[in-house]
Amino acid sequence: MTQSIQTEGYALQELEKEAGMGAMGEETFAREVRCIDLSDFENRKSEIADALWSAAVEIGFFQVSHHGIALSDIRQAFSMTEDFFSLPDGVKAQYPLARNAGWENKSQVRPSTRTPDQKESYQITRPLMQPLWPSEQELPAFKQTMLGFESRCWQLGMKLLSCFALKLGFPEDFFEQAHNPDQQTYQSTLRMLHYYATEQSEQGMWRAGAHTDFDCLTLLFQRPGQGGLQVCPGKDRESQQWTSIEPREDVITCNIGDMLMRWSDDQLPSNFHRVRSPLPGEYQGARYSLAFFCQANKDVEILGPQAKYPAISAEDYLQQRIQANFAKG
């Protein structure tokens, strides 16, 4: 039996159920999600680290600008994402989700809703991909393009995590060593997401139920005009004060995940977010997003600076969270 992961005296699964109880039409709450400029990073690193820490502690979400990933690369990755999801289901089914890599369709069931998310996804985890890449005939240049984008996401993720390492008293390269892409134990993941266009009869269904992420840090890329993302700090879960995040292609939205919350001895909160379905009068078409999850290598030990929780391997931690969020076959 999978052991529940405890945080602040509650099981995360129970918190997720609580966080999903709000109504679709509820009023949103105005809350600042800070946008942090990463330009001249090396010379401004101390200042940037302070800003990241402050934003993360207060809300668990922040955005970054001047992040170094070219807009043309982001647009190309989105174009490839659309091309992949346009393939027939029979082709995509040749590359099924297994061990956190591959394609799934409406199989992710959040504890907050107990119904499948209204989406399909394809996950790229480097050491697990050998049997899961579409052929060049099916999707030319797909593998090369998406691996290049995954690498750029990793570089940015490690840059941001180096700031959190400094604030936690770890060596500056602590998280870079813990997320080594050259090892077979690497488990950081790039997830391509396609939320289905909605019908009027589907009003009230969640595209993605309220949840926290399993990882250390998530980088989320969104397309303008394809909204729905809402966030709620854990401290506000009872009042259900949700804030909408408008999609912009010039910034990346980031959030702290469960793994870093534990690694920081709960100093950095992993906060709830969800994707609501469009309301009447809003764009009802497909929504695409790209998420990169910085997840420590399987054999890395997670232990906070004050050892608030017992040590656990990143593999065991991640498996516990995955099993709680995907439907059994």
Side-chain angles (χ1 to χ4, degrees):
M1 181 177 179
T2 302
Q3 180 182 359
S4 295
I5 301 169
Q6 298 294 320
T7 176
E8 299 181 340
Y10 292 88
L12 274 173
Q13 293 180 42
E14 293 306 312
L15 289 181
E16 287 166 355
K17 291 174 186 175
E18 293 174 18
M21 293 173 64
M24 282 292 297
E26 67 195 353
E27 185 178 352
T28 57
F29 181 77
R31 178 187 285 115
E32 180 187 11
V33 177
R34 297 177 200 171
C35 187
I36 297 163
D37 182 352
L38 300 184
S39 60
D40 195 21
F41 181 81
E42 292 304 325
N43 291 326
R44 297 178 53 237
K45 188 165 187 176
S46 178
E47 170 196 342
I48 290 170
D50 287 345
L52 290 171
W53 182 268
S54 177
V57 166
E58 187 167 317
I59 188 173
F61 270 78
F62 54 89
Q63 294 178 315
V64 293
S65 63
H66 302 96
H67 44 69
I69 301 180
L71 185 56
S72 59
D73 291 339
I74 296 172
R75 289 174 174 170
Q76 184 182 33
F78 269 117
S79 178
M80 280 289 180
T81 296
E82 278 200 75
D83 289 346
F84 175 84
F85 289 124
S86 295
L87 293 171
D89 283 359
V91 173
K92 291 179 287 190
Q94 298 176 85
Y95 313 110
L97 180 70
R99 298 183 299 156
N100 215 30
W103 176 72
E104 61 82 24
N105 180 33
K106 296 185 180 180
S107 72
Q108 191 158 21
V109 180
R110 306 292 183 183
S112 64
T113 61
R114 300 183 183 178
T115 58
D117 287 353
Q118 299 301 297
K119 65 173 175 57
E120 60 180 327
S121 70
Y122 178 79
Q123 300 191 172
I124 298 171
T125 305
R126 284 177 175 259
L128 308 177
M129 294 304 296
Q130 189 56 41
L132 298 174
W133 290 114
S135 68
E136 281 293 308
Q137 291 72 31
E138 292 165 339
L139 215 53
F142 177 78
K143 177 180 177 180
Q144 176 184 354
T145 299
M146 298 314 295
L147 280 178
F149 186 71
E150 190 270 357
S151 179
R152 285 184 277 280
C153 290
W154 179 87
Q155 292 170 20
L156 175 59
M158 296 309 105
K159 180 183 290 189
L160 295 172
L161 284 172
S162 72
C163 293
F164 290 111
L166 288 174
K167 300 297 289 186
L168 288 167
F170 293 142
E172 191 169 341
D173 65 348
F174 179 82
F175 289 114
E176 183 174 341
Q177 296 300 316
H179 297 74
N180 188 341
D182 297 326
Q183 296 180 354
Q184 282 298 112
T185 55
Y186 181 71
Q187 54 181 1
S188 292
T189 296
L190 175 63
R191 179 184 290 172
M192 301 156 46
L193 293 144
H194 170 214
Y195 298 89
Y196 295 111
T198 57
E199 303 290 340
Q200 286 301 116
S201 61
E202 295 174 332
Q203 290 291 339
M205 296 186 70
W206 292 104
R207 280 178 155 175
H211 63 282
T212 58
D213 288 343
F214 316 150
D215 59 346
C216 282
L217 181 70
T218 302
L219 312 179
L220 180 69
F221 301 81
Q222 300 188 88
R223 274 181 156 175
Q226 299 180 6
L229 176 66
Q230 296 182 315
V231 304
C232 178
K235 67 179 184 297
D236 293 330
R237 69 180 184 276
E238 292 182 2
S239 59
Q240 291 292 305
Q241 294 181 329
W242 292 90
T243 297
S244 293
I245 307 295
E246 290 303 313
R248 291 171 49 188
E249 64 177 356
D250 60 327
V251 301
I252 301 170
T253 300
C254 306
N255 63 274
I256 304 300
D258 302 339
M259 189 177 284
L260 188 55
M261 182 172 177
R262 180 168 179 140
W263 226 329
S264 70
D265 294 325
D266 292 341
Q267 295 179 75
L268 297 169
S270 174
N271 288 335
F272 293 102
H273 50 288
R274 64 190 184 187
V275 180
R276 66 163 175 80
S277 291
L279 300 175
E282 294 181 338
Y283 166 73
Q284 302 287 322
R287 179 182 189 270
Y288 295 91
S289 63
L290 293 159
F292 182 72
F293 302 102
C294 301
Q295 297 171 158
N297 289 21
K298 292 180 179 180
D299 54 347
V300 170
E301 180 183 80
I302 299 172
L303 185 64
Q306 305 301 321
K308 180 176 180 179
Y309 300 103
I312 186 173
S313 74
E315 179 178 27
D316 288 345
Y317 192 85
L318 187 60
Q319 283 304 310
Q320 288 178 357
R321 298 299 291 132
I322 290 172
Q323 288 170 19
N325 279 270
F326 280 87
K328 302 296 186 291

